[in-house]
Structure formats: structure tokens, C-alpha cells
């Protein structure tokens, strides 16, 4: 019989667990950013990005073990004002490392818990992230998990960033998600 699971990822490894829980044919509901086209009364066409919640019928699941990122592709099964039923979409889930690779991080916000993680590889990954941001002129702010601000950051995966400039493909890959595929 069908069952529902609600997940709140707290650390990068949670994406691995999510990868192992998801199966082709499952429904995945997640918040995502979608590029939508608008037409004005004069007929000119523009586009903007909007945050929306989509429910996908999963047909592809990819896990990047280096970045601990989960990428799920599927068709929309709950129509909303931005996305029609059956539209194809990709949802990518931990984006900070991609922003770092693009040299876009101005301020990195990171929980001290990530530096005390049991897994040495995870600790090393976040040390590299911090070093990379500093090496590229960014500022790093380490939050104590004993303080309310650190607790809140930990609830949001333990890492966040304020960017120097927007990066469109953090929200959605241009090749898959910007247009509906039949």
C-alpha cells in the first residue's frame, strides 16, 4: 500500500539516504524554481523565475556522490498556475558547492557541526569548500550549533551562501527544465 515520507535534509549525507528511498514511479513533491514565460497586453514576451511546489512522477534518479546532490526527473502530476499537467521537470536537491565552483559566493554561512561530522570525507569536503571560498575572495561565517542562529542554519542543511551574482542553473538546468518536453 502507498505511504508518504516527509524529509528535511540536515546534512549532505541525507541526499544519499533519499536516493536509496526513491524509486522510479514514486511521487516526489518539492519546492523548486521554474522559469515561466509571460505575455503582456501588447504581445511582448518576457520570462521570470518563480518558486513553486511541484509533484513529479519520478522517471530518472541520479546521485552525484562527490557533491552529494540528488537530481530527480519526471512529469508533473499536479497542475498549478505555472506548470501544466504532464510537463517534464528536473528537481535538483544540499546548491552551495555549485555556487562555489562558479566563484559566485560572497559570504559562506556554515555550521560548525559540519566540521565535527563523524565521516572524515564529509568533514574534508566542507573544509575544502571553506578554503575555496576564502581563496576566491569570499568571506566565511561559521555558526555555532550551540547558538539559535547555528541551530537554524543546521535545519537548512548546515550550509548556505550569499551570492555575488545570480546563477540561473542552480535553480534549474537550462537544458531540461526551461521548456516543457513532451
Amino acid at each position: 500500500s502507498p505511504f508518504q515520507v516527509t524529509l528535511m535534509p540536515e546534512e549532505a549525507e541525507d541526499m544519499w539516504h533519499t536516493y536509496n528511498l526513491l524509486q522510479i514511479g514514486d511521487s516526489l513533491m518539492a519546492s523548486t524554481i521554474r522559469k515561466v514565460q509571460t505575455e503582456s497586453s501588447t504581445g511582448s514576451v518576457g520570462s521570470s523565475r518563480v518558486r513553486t511546489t511541484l509533484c513529479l512522477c519520478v522517471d530518472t534518479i541520479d546521485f552525484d556522490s562527490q557533491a552529494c546532490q540528488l537530481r530527480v526527473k519526471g512529469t508533473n502530476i499536479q497542475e498549478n498556475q505555472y506548470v501544466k499537467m504532464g510537463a517534464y521537470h528536473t528537481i535538483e536537491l544540499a546548491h552551495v558547492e555549485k555556487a562555489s565552483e562558479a566563484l559566485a559566493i560572497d559570504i559562506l554561512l556554515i555550521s560548525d557541526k559540519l566540521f565535527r561530522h563523524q565521516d572524515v570525507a564529509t568533514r574534508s569536503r566542507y573544509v575544502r569548500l571553506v578554503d575555496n571560498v576564502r581563496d576566491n575572495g569570499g568571506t566565511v561565517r561559521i555558526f555555532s550549533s550551540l547558538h539559535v542562529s547555528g541551530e537554524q542554519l543546521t535545519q537548512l542543511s548546515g550550509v548556505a551562501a550569499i551570492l555575488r551574482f545570480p546563477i540561473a542553473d542552480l535553480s534549474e538546468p537550462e537544458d531540461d527544465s526551461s521548456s516543457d518536453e513532451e
Side-chain angles (χ1 to χ4, degrees):
S1 68
F3 64 95
Q4 180 176 334
V5 176
T6 301
L7 299 171
M8 294 293 288
E10 295 180 351
E11 53 191 53
E13 189 177 300
D14 292 344
M15 291 299 103
W16 168 250
H17 297 297
T18 305
Y19 170 72
N20 286 304
L21 286 172
L22 269 178
Q23 295 182 358
I24 307 261
D26 283 352
S27 298
L28 172 71
M29 183 176 285
S31 177
T32 184
I33 295 181
R34 178 84 178 190
K35 185 165 70 172
V36 295
Q37 291 191 334
T38 53
E39 187 173 337
S40 72
S41 58
T42 62
S44 64
V45 177
S47 69
S48 62
R49 294 184 180 277
V50 294
R51 179 163 295 280
T52 188
T53 299
L54 293 182
C55 187
L56 300 184
C57 178
V58 176
D59 69 21
T60 306
I61 307 165
D62 293 314
F63 181 71
D64 179 344
S65 59
Q66 292 296 315
C68 279
Q69 282 188 323
L70 184 61
R71 188 176 172 130
V72 180
K73 297 180 183 182
T75 53
N76 187 37
I77 57 175
Q78 283 187 0
E79 189 165 337
N80 66 33
Q81 70 184 97
Y82 303 113
V83 184
K84 65 183 179 183
M85 189 82 89
Y88 199 77
H89 193 79
T90 300
I91 295 176
E92 196 167 273
L93 311 174
H95 293 117
V96 174
E97 285 176 312
K98 280 193 173 182
S100 176
E101 290 170 12
L103 309 179
I105 295 180
D106 187 30
I107 303 172
L108 178 69
L109 313 172
I110 189 163
S111 168
D112 63 347
K113 272 192 169 184
L114 296 176
F115 294 112
R116 295 193 316 266
H117 198 277
Q118 291 179 353
D119 180 42
V120 175
T122 300
R123 279 197 311 259
S124 298
R125 193 167 124 234
Y126 288 106
V127 168
R128 280 193 309 273
L129 177 63
V130 166
D131 289 345
N132 187 41
V133 169
R134 284 185 176 146
D135 289 348
N136 291 301
T139 303
V140 176
R141 300 281 186 238
I142 300 173
F143 288 73
S144 169
S145 55
L146 300 176
H147 188 271
V148 67
S149 61
E151 288 176 6
Q152 290 173 341
L153 182 59
T154 298
Q155 290 173 356
L156 297 170
S157 79
V159 64
I162 299 172
L163 303 182
R164 292 182 174 119
F165 50 86
I167 302 180
D169 62 357
L170 285 183
S171 305
E172 67 181 45
E174 292 294 324
D175 56 335
D176 288 325
S177 308
S178 60
S179 63
D180 297 333
E181 297 175 12
E182 304 290 334

